[in-house]
Amino acid sequence: MFRFYPLFTLFFISLLFSCNVEKKVDAVDQINTNVRSYFFLPDSIDVRIEVTDTLRVDDLTEMLDQVNKNLNLIDGDLDTLSLMIDDQAYAALYVEQELDKIILLNRKGLEDSLHKTRITKLEYQLKQAQLMAKKQVFKQTNRLLLHLKRSVENEIAGYNIAVRYTLNDEILDFKLLLDAQYMIVD
């Protein structure tokens, strides 16, 4: 009986390693299939895929916290800008009312003041639009990170991959984000 023990152990270890190799090969095949489907690529096109980074749960949690802090800061800045825009609008209205009262005396100074007030208001509105665009980017990032959080497997939340293929004599490079089940997120 003890004579077969080393043989049985060797068989069991080789079976274990072959299962791990099959799982890795399955993962590579699944990533390749998902990338081909994402870009609508036929099997005849050579696609090179490289995993550039593995996103772990701890990293994901830190990223979500930072995105939420940034969203809160942007909301505060947007509230402040809204107040500043309102102040400039009221100041412009006041100057317009004063211009209606004055006939010709000191009219030039008030017109300059009105012009400066309107420019300042427009600058604030531009900054407000830029912050709103940035807020949308953070919301999109938050959406992607929450998707990754829902797909966690073995403390891994996702993978960054680099994809390269040639189409019509043009080399195309892309960076994609996969969740833990190798599905393309972005």
CSV table of all heavy atoms in Angstrom, one decimal, residues 85-140:
chain,number,residue,atom,x,y,z
A,85,ILE,N,-22.4,84.0,-9.0
A,85,ILE,CA,-23.1,84.4,-10.2
A,85,ILE,C,-24.4,85.2,-9.9
A,85,ILE,O,-24.6,86.3,-10.6
A,85,ILE,CB,-23.5,83.1,-11.0
A,85,ILE,CG1,-22.2,82.5,-11.6
A,85,ILE,CG2,-24.5,83.5,-12.1
A,85,ILE,CD1,-22.4,81.1,-12.2
A,86,ASP,N,-25.1,84.8,-8.9
A,86,ASP,CA,-26.3,85.6,-8.5
A,86,ASP,C,-25.9,87.0,-8.0
A,86,ASP,O,-26.6,88.0,-8.4
A,86,ASP,CB,-27.0,84.9,-7.3
A,86,ASP,CG,-27.8,83.7,-7.8
A,86,ASP,OD1,-27.9,83.5,-9.0
A,86,ASP,OD2,-28.2,82.8,-6.9
A,87,ASP,N,-24.8,87.1,-7.3
A,87,ASP,CA,-24.3,88.4,-6.8
A,87,ASP,C,-24.0,89.3,-8.0
A,87,ASP,O,-24.4,90.5,-8.1
A,87,ASP,CB,-23.1,88.3,-5.9
A,87,ASP,CG,-23.5,87.8,-4.5
A,87,ASP,OD1,-24.6,87.8,-4.2
A,87,ASP,OD2,-22.5,87.4,-3.8
A,88,GLN,N,-23.3,88.8,-9.0
A,88,GLN,CA,-23.0,89.5,-10.2
A,88,GLN,C,-24.2,89.9,-11.0
A,88,GLN,O,-24.3,91.0,-11.6
A,88,GLN,CB,-22.0,88.7,-11.1
A,88,GLN,CG,-20.6,88.6,-10.5
A,88,GLN,CD,-19.9,89.9,-10.2
A,88,GLN,OE1,-19.9,90.8,-11.0
A,88,GLN,NE2,-19.4,90.0,-9.0
A,89,ALA,N,-25.2,89.0,-11.1
A,89,ALA,CA,-26.4,89.4,-11.8
A,89,ALA,C,-27.2,90.5,-11.1
A,89,ALA,O,-27.7,91.4,-11.8
A,89,ALA,CB,-27.3,88.1,-11.9
A,90,TYR,N,-27.2,90.5,-9.8
A,90,TYR,CA,-27.9,91.6,-9.0
A,90,TYR,C,-27.1,92.9,-9.2
A,90,TYR,O,-27.7,93.9,-9.3
A,90,TYR,CB,-28.1,91.2,-7.6
A,90,TYR,CG,-29.2,90.2,-7.3
A,90,TYR,CD1,-28.9,89.0,-6.7
A,90,TYR,CD2,-30.5,90.4,-7.8
A,90,TYR,CE1,-29.9,88.1,-6.4
A,90,TYR,CE2,-31.5,89.5,-7.6
A,90,TYR,CZ,-31.2,88.4,-6.9
A,90,TYR,OH,-32.2,87.5,-6.7
A,91,ALA,N,-25.8,92.8,-9.2
A,91,ALA,CA,-24.9,94.0,-9.3
A,91,ALA,C,-25.2,94.6,-10.7
A,91,ALA,O,-25.3,95.8,-10.9
A,91,ALA,CB,-23.5,93.6,-9.1
A,92,ALA,N,-25.2,93.7,-11.8
A,92,ALA,CA,-25.5,94.2,-13.1
A,92,ALA,C,-26.9,94.9,-13.2
A,92,ALA,O,-27.0,95.9,-13.9
A,92,ALA,CB,-25.3,93.1,-14.1
A,93,LEU,N,-27.9,94.3,-12.6
A,93,LEU,CA,-29.2,94.8,-12.6
A,93,LEU,C,-29.2,96.2,-11.9
A,93,LEU,O,-29.9,97.1,-12.4
A,93,LEU,CB,-30.2,93.8,-11.9
A,93,LEU,CG,-31.6,94.2,-11.9
A,93,LEU,CD1,-32.2,94.3,-13.3
A,93,LEU,CD2,-32.4,93.2,-11.1
A,94,TYR,N,-28.5,96.3,-10.8
A,94,TYR,CA,-28.5,97.6,-10.1
A,94,TYR,C,-27.8,98.7,-11.0
A,94,TYR,O,-28.3,99.8,-11.0
A,94,TYR,CB,-27.7,97.4,-8.8
A,94,TYR,CG,-27.4,98.7,-8.0
A,94,TYR,CD1,-28.5,99.3,-7.3
A,94,TYR,CD2,-26.2,99.3,-8.1
A,94,TYR,CE1,-28.3,100.5,-6.7
A,94,TYR,CE2,-26.0,100.5,-7.4
A,94,TYR,CZ,-27.0,101.1,-6.7
A,94,TYR,OH,-26.8,102.3,-6.1
A,95,VAL,N,-26.7,98.3,-11.6
A,95,VAL,CA,-26.0,99.3,-12.5
A,95,VAL,C,-26.9,99.7,-13.6
A,95,VAL,O,-27.0,100.8,-14.0
A,95,VAL,CB,-24.7,98.7,-13.0
A,95,VAL,CG1,-24.0,99.6,-14.0
A,95,VAL,CG2,-23.7,98.5,-11.8
A,96,GLU,N,-27.7,98.7,-14.2
A,96,GLU,CA,-28.6,99.0,-15.3
A,96,GLU,C,-29.7,100.0,-14.9
A,96,GLU,O,-30.0,101.0,-15.6
A,96,GLU,CB,-29.2,97.8,-15.9
A,96,GLU,CG,-28.3,96.9,-16.7
A,96,GLU,CD,-28.9,95.6,-17.1
A,96,GLU,OE1,-30.1,95.3,-16.7
A,96,GLU,OE2,-28.2,94.8,-17.8
A,97,GLN,N,-30.2,99.8,-13.6
A,97,GLN,CA,-31.2,100.7,-13.1
A,97,GLN,C,-30.6,102.1,-12.9
A,97,GLN,O,-31.3,103.1,-13.1
A,97,GLN,CB,-31.8,100.1,-11.8
A,97,GLN,CG,-32.6,98.9,-12.0
A,97,GLN,CD,-33.0,98.3,-10.7
A,97,GLN,OE1,-32.5,98.6,-9.6
A,97,GLN,NE2,-34.0,97.3,-10.8
A,98,GLU,N,-29.4,102.2,-12.4
A,98,GLU,CA,-28.7,103.5,-12.2
A,98,GLU,C,-28.5,104.2,-13.5
A,98,GLU,O,-28.6,105.4,-13.6
A,98,GLU,CB,-27.4,103.3,-11.5
A,98,GLU,CG,-27.6,102.9,-10.0
A,98,GLU,CD,-28.3,103.9,-9.2
A,98,GLU,OE1,-28.0,105.1,-9.3
A,98,GLU,OE2,-29.3,103.5,-8.5
A,99,LEU,N,-28.1,103.4,-14.6
A,99,LEU,CA,-27.9,104.0,-15.9
A,99,LEU,C,-29.2,104.6,-16.5
A,99,LEU,O,-29.1,105.6,-17.1
A,99,LEU,CB,-27.4,102.9,-16.9
A,99,LEU,CG,-25.9,102.6,-16.9
A,99,LEU,CD1,-25.6,101.4,-17.8
A,99,LEU,CD2,-25.2,103.9,-17.4
A,100,ASP,N,-30.3,104.0,-16.2
A,100,ASP,CA,-31.6,104.5,-16.6
A,100,ASP,C,-31.9,105.9,-15.9
A,100,ASP,O,-32.5,106.7,-16.5
A,100,ASP,CB,-32.7,103.6,-16.3
A,100,ASP,CG,-32.7,102.3,-17.2
A,100,ASP,OD1,-32.0,102.4,-18.3
A,100,ASP,OD2,-33.3,101.3,-16.9
A,101,LYS,N,-31.4,106.1,-14.7
A,101,LYS,CA,-31.7,107.3,-14.0
A,101,LYS,C,-30.8,108.4,-14.4
A,101,LYS,O,-31.2,109.6,-14.4
A,101,LYS,CB,-31.5,107.0,-12.5
A,101,LYS,CG,-32.5,106.1,-11.8
A,101,LYS,CD,-32.2,105.9,-10.4
A,101,LYS,CE,-33.1,104.9,-9.8
A,101,LYS,NZ,-32.7,104.6,-8.4
A,102,ILE,N,-29.5,108.1,-14.8
A,102,ILE,CA,-28.6,109.2,-15.2
A,102,ILE,C,-28.7,109.5,-16.6
A,102,ILE,O,-28.7,108.6,-17.5
A,102,ILE,CB,-27.1,108.7,-14.8
A,102,ILE,CG1,-27.0,108.5,-13.3
A,102,ILE,CG2,-26.1,109.7,-15.3
A,102,ILE,CD1,-25.7,107.9,-12.9
A,103,ILE,N,-28.7,110.7,-17.0
A,103,ILE,CA,-28.8,111.1,-18.3
A,103,ILE,C,-27.5,111.0,-19.0
A,103,ILE,O,-27.2,110.1,-19.8
A,103,ILE,CB,-29.4,112.5,-18.5
A,103,ILE,CG1,-30.8,112.5,-17.9
A,103,ILE,CG2,-29.4,113.0,-19.9
A,103,ILE,CD1,-31.5,113.8,-17.8
A,104,LEU,N,-26.5,111.9,-18.8
A,104,LEU,CA,-25.3,111.9,-19.5
A,104,LEU,C,-24.1,111.9,-18.5
A,104,LEU,O,-23.0,111.5,-18.8
A,104,LEU,CB,-25.2,113.0,-20.4
A,104,LEU,CG,-24.9,112.7,-21.9
A,104,LEU,CD1,-25.9,111.7,-22.4
A,104,LEU,CD2,-24.8,113.9,-22.8
A,105,LEU,N,-24.3,112.5,-17.3
A,105,LEU,CA,-23.3,112.7,-16.3
A,105,LEU,C,-22.9,111.3,-15.8
A,105,LEU,O,-23.7,110.5,-15.3
A,105,LEU,CB,-23.7,113.6,-15.2
A,105,LEU,CG,-24.2,115.0,-15.6
A,105,LEU,CD1,-24.8,115.7,-14.4
A,105,LEU,CD2,-22.9,115.7,-16.1
A,106,ASN,N,-21.6,111.0,-15.8
A,106,ASN,CA,-21.0,109.9,-15.1
A,106,ASN,C,-21.5,108.5,-15.8
A,106,ASN,O,-21.4,107.5,-15.2
A,106,ASN,CB,-21.2,109.9,-13.6
A,106,ASN,CG,-20.2,109.1,-12.9
A,106,ASN,OD1,-19.2,108.7,-13.5
A,106,ASN,ND2,-20.4,108.8,-11.6
A,107,ARG,N,-22.1,108.6,-16.9
A,107,ARG,CA,-22.6,107.5,-17.6
A,107,ARG,C,-21.5,106.5,-18.1
A,107,ARG,O,-21.7,105.3,-18.0
A,107,ARG,CB,-23.5,107.9,-18.8
A,107,ARG,CG,-24.3,106.8,-19.4
A,107,ARG,CD,-25.3,107.4,-20.4
A,107,ARG,NE,-26.1,106.4,-21.0
A,107,ARG,CZ,-27.2,105.9,-20.6
A,107,ARG,NH1,-27.7,106.4,-19.4
A,107,ARG,NH2,-27.9,105.0,-21.2
A,108,LYS,N,-20.4,107.0,-18.5
A,108,LYS,CA,-19.3,106.2,-19.0
A,108,LYS,C,-18.8,105.3,-17.9
A,108,LYS,O,-18.5,104.1,-18.1
A,108,LYS,CB,-18.2,107.1,-19.5
A,108,LYS,CG,-17.0,106.4,-20.1
A,108,LYS,CD,-17.4,105.7,-21.3
A,108,LYS,CE,-16.1,105.1,-22.0
A,108,LYS,NZ,-16.4,104.0,-22.8
A,109,GLY,N,-18.6,105.8,-16.7
A,109,GLY,CA,-18.1,105.0,-15.6
A,109,GLY,C,-19.1,103.9,-15.2
A,109,GLY,O,-18.7,102.7,-14.9
A,110,LEU,N,-20.4,104.2,-15.3
A,110,LEU,CA,-21.4,103.1,-15.0
A,110,LEU,C,-21.4,102.1,-16.1
A,110,LEU,O,-21.6,100.9,-15.8
A,110,LEU,CB,-22.8,103.7,-14.8
A,110,LEU,CG,-23.0,104.4,-13.4
A,110,LEU,CD1,-24.4,105.1,-13.4
A,110,LEU,CD2,-22.9,103.4,-12.3
A,111,GLU,N,-21.2,102.5,-17.3
A,111,GLU,CA,-21.2,101.5,-18.5
A,111,GLU,C,-20.0,100.6,-18.3
A,111,GLU,O,-20.1,99.4,-18.6
A,111,GLU,CB,-21.2,102.3,-19.8
A,111,GLU,CG,-22.5,102.9,-20.2
A,111,GLU,CD,-22.4,103.8,-21.4
A,111,GLU,OE1,-21.3,104.0,-21.9
A,111,GLU,OE2,-23.5,104.2,-21.9
A,112,ASP,N,-18.9,101.2,-17.9
A,112,ASP,CA,-17.7,100.3,-17.7
A,112,ASP,C,-17.9,99.3,-16.6
A,112,ASP,O,-17.5,98.2,-16.6
A,112,ASP,CB,-16.4,101.2,-17.4
A,112,ASP,CG,-15.9,102.0,-18.6
A,112,ASP,OD1,-16.3,101.6,-19.7
A,112,ASP,OD2,-15.2,102.9,-18.4
A,113,SER,N,-18.5,99.8,-15.5
A,113,SER,CA,-18.8,99.0,-14.4
A,113,SER,C,-19.8,97.8,-14.8
A,113,SER,O,-19.6,96.7,-14.4
A,113,SER,CB,-19.5,99.8,-13.2
A,113,SER,OG,-19.8,99.0,-12.2
A,114,LEU,N,-20.8,98.2,-15.6
A,114,LEU,CA,-21.7,97.2,-16.1
A,114,LEU,C,-21.0,96.1,-16.9
A,114,LEU,O,-21.3,94.9,-16.8
A,114,LEU,CB,-22.9,97.8,-16.9
A,114,LEU,CG,-23.9,96.9,-17.5
A,114,LEU,CD1,-24.7,96.1,-16.4
A,114,LEU,CD2,-24.9,97.7,-18.3
A,115,HIS,N,-20.1,96.6,-17.8
A,115,HIS,CA,-19.4,95.7,-18.7
A,115,HIS,C,-18.5,94.7,-17.8
A,115,HIS,O,-18.5,93.5,-18.1
A,115,HIS,CB,-18.5,96.5,-19.6
A,115,HIS,CG,-17.7,95.7,-20.6
A,115,HIS,ND1,-18.3,95.0,-21.6
A,115,HIS,CD2,-16.4,95.5,-20.7
A,115,HIS,CE1,-17.4,94.4,-22.3
A,115,HIS,NE2,-16.2,94.7,-21.8
A,116,LYS,N,-17.8,95.3,-16.9
A,116,LYS,CA,-17.0,94.4,-16.0
A,116,LYS,C,-17.8,93.4,-15.2
A,116,LYS,O,-17.4,92.2,-15.1
A,116,LYS,CB,-16.2,95.3,-15.0
A,116,LYS,CG,-15.0,96.1,-15.7
A,116,LYS,CD,-14.3,96.9,-14.7
A,116,LYS,CE,-13.3,97.8,-15.4
A,116,LYS,NZ,-12.6,98.7,-14.4
A,117,THR,N,-18.9,93.8,-14.7
A,117,THR,CA,-19.8,92.9,-14.0
A,117,THR,C,-20.3,91.8,-14.9
A,117,THR,O,-20.3,90.6,-14.4
A,117,THR,CB,-21.0,93.7,-13.4
A,117,THR,OG1,-20.6,94.8,-12.6
A,117,THR,CG2,-21.9,92.8,-12.6
A,118,ARG,N,-20.7,92.1,-16.1
A,118,ARG,CA,-21.2,91.1,-17.0
A,118,ARG,C,-20.0,90.1,-17.4
A,118,ARG,O,-20.3,88.9,-17.4
A,118,ARG,CB,-21.7,91.7,-18.3
A,118,ARG,CG,-23.1,92.3,-18.0
A,118,ARG,CD,-23.7,92.9,-19.3
A,118,ARG,NE,-25.0,93.5,-19.1
A,118,ARG,CZ,-25.6,94.3,-19.9
A,118,ARG,NH1,-25.0,94.7,-21.0
A,118,ARG,NH2,-26.8,94.8,-19.6
A,119,ILE,N,-18.8,90.6,-17.6
A,119,ILE,CA,-17.7,89.7,-17.9
A,119,ILE,C,-17.4,88.8,-16.7
A,119,ILE,O,-17.2,87.6,-16.9
A,119,ILE,CB,-16.5,90.6,-18.3
A,119,ILE,CG1,-16.7,91.2,-19.7
A,119,ILE,CG2,-15.2,89.7,-18.3
A,119,ILE,CD1,-15.6,92.1,-20.2
A,120,THR,N,-17.4,89.4,-15.5
A,120,THR,CA,-17.1,88.5,-14.3
A,120,THR,C,-18.2,87.5,-14.2
A,120,THR,O,-17.9,86.3,-13.9
A,120,THR,CB,-17.1,89.4,-13.1
A,120,THR,OG1,-16.1,90.5,-13.2
A,120,THR,CG2,-16.8,88.6,-11.8
A,121,LYS,N,-19.5,87.8,-14.4
A,121,LYS,CA,-20.5,86.8,-14.4
A,121,LYS,C,-20.3,85.7,-15.4
A,121,LYS,O,-20.5,84.5,-15.1
A,121,LYS,CB,-21.9,87.5,-14.6
A,121,LYS,CG,-23.0,86.6,-14.6
A,121,LYS,CD,-24.3,87.3,-14.9
A,121,LYS,CE,-25.4,86.3,-15.2
A,121,LYS,NZ,-26.5,86.9,-15.9
A,122,LEU,N,-19.9,86.1,-16.6
A,122,LEU,CA,-19.7,85.1,-17.7
A,122,LEU,C,-18.5,84.2,-17.3
A,122,LEU,O,-18.5,83.0,-17.6
A,122,LEU,CB,-19.4,85.8,-19.0
A,122,LEU,CG,-20.7,86.4,-19.7
A,122,LEU,CD1,-20.3,87.2,-20.9
A,122,LEU,CD2,-21.7,85.4,-20.0
A,123,GLU,N,-17.5,84.8,-16.7
A,123,GLU,CA,-16.3,84.0,-16.3
A,123,GLU,C,-16.7,83.0,-15.2
A,123,GLU,O,-16.3,81.8,-15.2
A,123,GLU,CB,-15.2,84.9,-15.7
A,123,GLU,CG,-14.5,85.6,-16.8
A,123,GLU,CD,-13.5,86.7,-16.3
A,123,GLU,OE1,-13.6,87.0,-15.0
A,123,GLU,OE2,-12.7,87.2,-17.1
A,124,TYR,N,-17.6,83.4,-14.3
A,124,TYR,CA,-18.1,82.5,-13.2
A,124,TYR,C,-18.9,81.4,-13.9
A,124,TYR,O,-18.9,80.2,-13.5
A,124,TYR,CB,-18.9,83.2,-12.2
A,124,TYR,CG,-18.1,84.1,-11.3
A,124,TYR,CD1,-18.7,85.2,-10.6
A,124,TYR,CD2,-16.7,84.0,-11.1
A,124,TYR,CE1,-18.0,86.0,-9.8
A,124,TYR,CE2,-16.0,84.8,-10.2
A,124,TYR,CZ,-16.6,85.8,-9.6
A,124,TYR,OH,-15.9,86.6,-8.8
A,125,GLN,N,-19.8,81.7,-14.8
A,125,GLN,CA,-20.6,80.7,-15.5
A,125,GLN,C,-19.7,79.7,-16.3
A,125,GLN,O,-20.1,78.5,-16.3
A,125,GLN,CB,-21.6,81.4,-16.4
A,125,GLN,CG,-22.7,82.1,-15.7
A,125,GLN,CD,-23.6,82.9,-16.6
A,125,GLN,OE1,-23.2,83.4,-17.6
A,125,GLN,NE2,-24.9,83.0,-16.2
A,126,LEU,N,-18.6,80.2,-16.9
A,126,LEU,CA,-17.7,79.3,-17.6
A,126,LEU,C,-17.1,78.3,-16.6
A,126,LEU,O,-17.0,77.1,-16.8
A,126,LEU,CB,-16.7,80.1,-18.3
A,126,LEU,CG,-15.6,79.2,-19.0
A,126,LEU,CD1,-16.2,78.4,-20.1
A,126,LEU,CD2,-14.5,80.2,-19.6
A,127,LYS,N,-16.6,78.8,-15.5
A,127,LYS,CA,-16.0,78.0,-14.4
A,127,LYS,C,-17.1,77.0,-13.9
A,127,LYS,O,-16.8,75.8,-13.7
A,127,LYS,CB,-15.5,78.9,-13.3
A,127,LYS,CG,-14.8,78.1,-12.2
A,127,LYS,CD,-13.5,77.5,-12.7
A,127,LYS,CE,-12.8,76.8,-11.6
A,127,LYS,NZ,-11.7,76.0,-12.0
A,128,GLN,N,-18.3,77.4,-13.8
A,128,GLN,CA,-19.4,76.6,-13.3
A,128,GLN,C,-19.6,75.4,-14.3
A,128,GLN,O,-19.8,74.3,-13.9
A,128,GLN,CB,-20.7,77.4,-13.1
A,128,GLN,CG,-21.8,76.6,-12.6
A,128,GLN,CD,-23.1,77.4,-12.4
A,128,GLN,OE1,-23.4,78.2,-13.3
A,128,GLN,NE2,-23.8,77.2,-11.3
A,129,ALA,N,-19.6,75.7,-15.6
A,129,ALA,CA,-19.8,74.7,-16.6
A,129,ALA,C,-18.6,73.7,-16.6
A,129,ALA,O,-18.8,72.5,-16.8
A,129,ALA,CB,-19.9,75.4,-18.0
A,130,GLN,N,-17.4,74.2,-16.4
A,130,GLN,CA,-16.3,73.3,-16.3
A,130,GLN,C,-16.3,72.4,-15.1
A,130,GLN,O,-16.0,71.2,-15.2
A,130,GLN,CB,-15.0,74.2,-16.3
A,130,GLN,CG,-14.6,74.9,-17.6
A,130,GLN,CD,-13.5,75.9,-17.4
A,130,GLN,OE1,-13.2,76.3,-16.3
A,130,GLN,NE2,-12.9,76.3,-18.5
A,131,LEU,N,-16.8,72.9,-14.0
A,131,LEU,CA,-16.9,72.1,-12.8
A,131,LEU,C,-18.0,71.1,-13.0
A,131,LEU,O,-17.9,69.9,-12.5
A,131,LEU,CB,-17.2,73.0,-11.6
A,131,LEU,CG,-16.0,73.6,-10.9
A,131,LEU,CD1,-16.5,74.6,-9.8
A,131,LEU,CD2,-15.0,72.6,-10.4
A,132,MET,N,-19.1,71.4,-13.7
A,132,MET,CA,-20.2,70.5,-13.9
A,132,MET,C,-19.7,69.4,-14.8
A,132,MET,O,-20.1,68.2,-14.7
A,132,MET,CB,-21.4,71.2,-14.5
A,132,MET,CG,-22.1,72.1,-13.5
A,132,MET,SD,-23.5,72.9,-14.1
A,132,MET,CE,-24.7,71.6,-13.7
A,133,ALA,N,-18.9,69.7,-15.8
A,133,ALA,CA,-18.3,68.7,-16.7
A,133,ALA,C,-17.4,67.7,-15.9
A,133,ALA,O,-17.4,66.5,-16.1
A,133,ALA,CB,-17.5,69.3,-17.9
A,134,LYS,N,-16.6,68.3,-15.0
A,134,LYS,CA,-15.7,67.5,-14.2
A,134,LYS,C,-16.5,66.6,-13.2
A,134,LYS,O,-16.2,65.5,-13.0
A,134,LYS,CB,-14.8,68.4,-13.4
A,134,LYS,CG,-13.7,67.7,-12.7
A,134,LYS,CD,-12.8,68.7,-11.9
A,134,LYS,CE,-11.8,69.3,-12.8
A,134,LYS,NZ,-10.7,70.0,-12.1
A,135,LYS,N,-17.6,67.1,-12.8
A,135,LYS,CA,-18.5,66.4,-11.9
A,135,LYS,C,-19.0,65.1,-12.6
A,135,LYS,O,-19.1,64.0,-12.1
A,135,LYS,CB,-19.6,67.2,-11.4
A,135,LYS,CG,-20.6,66.5,-10.4
A,135,LYS,CD,-21.7,67.4,-9.9
A,135,LYS,CE,-22.6,66.7,-9.0
A,135,LYS,NZ,-23.7,67.6,-8.5
A,136,GLN,N,-19.4,65.3,-13.9
A,136,GLN,CA,-19.9,64.2,-14.7
A,136,GLN,C,-18.8,63.1,-14.9
A,136,GLN,O,-19.1,61.9,-14.9
A,136,GLN,CB,-20.4,64.7,-16.1
A,136,GLN,CG,-21.7,65.5,-16.0
A,136,GLN,CD,-22.8,64.8,-15.3
A,136,GLN,OE1,-23.0,63.6,-15.6
A,136,GLN,NE2,-23.5,65.4,-14.4
A,137,VAL,N,-17.6,63.6,-15.1
A,137,VAL,CA,-16.5,62.6,-15.2
A,137,VAL,C,-16.3,61.8,-13.9
A,137,VAL,O,-16.2,60.6,-13.9
A,137,VAL,CB,-15.2,63.3,-15.6
A,137,VAL,CG1,-14.0,62.4,-15.5
A,137,VAL,CG2,-15.2,63.9,-17.0
A,138,PHE,N,-16.4,62.5,-12.8
A,138,PHE,CA,-16.3,61.8,-11.5
A,138,PHE,C,-17.5,60.9,-11.3
A,138,PHE,O,-17.3,59.8,-10.7
A,138,PHE,CB,-16.1,62.8,-10.3
A,138,PHE,CG,-14.7,63.3,-10.1
A,138,PHE,CD1,-14.5,64.7,-10.2
A,138,PHE,CD2,-13.7,62.5,-9.9
A,138,PHE,CE1,-13.2,65.2,-10.1
A,138,PHE,CE2,-12.4,63.0,-9.7
A,138,PHE,CZ,-12.2,64.3,-9.8
A,139,LYS,N,-18.6,61.3,-11.7
A,139,LYS,CA,-19.8,60.4,-11.5
A,139,LYS,C,-19.6,59.1,-12.4
A,139,LYS,O,-20.0,58.0,-12.0
A,139,LYS,CB,-21.1,61.1,-11.9
A,139,LYS,CG,-21.5,62.1,-10.9
A,139,LYS,CD,-22.7,62.9,-11.4
A,139,LYS,CE,-23.9,62.5,-10.7
A,139,LYS,NZ,-25.1,63.4,-11.1
A,140,GLN,N,-19.1,59.3,-13.6
A,140,GLN,CA,-18.9,58.2,-14.5
A,140,GLN,C,-17.8,57.2,-13.9
A,140,GLN,O,-18.0,56.0,-13.9
A,140,GLN,CB,-18.4,58.6,-15.9
A,140,GLN,CG,-18.0,57.5,-16.8
A,140,GLN,CD,-19.2,56.7,-17.3
A,140,GLN,OE1,-20.4,57.0,-17.0
A,140,GLN,NE2,-19.0,55.7,-18.1
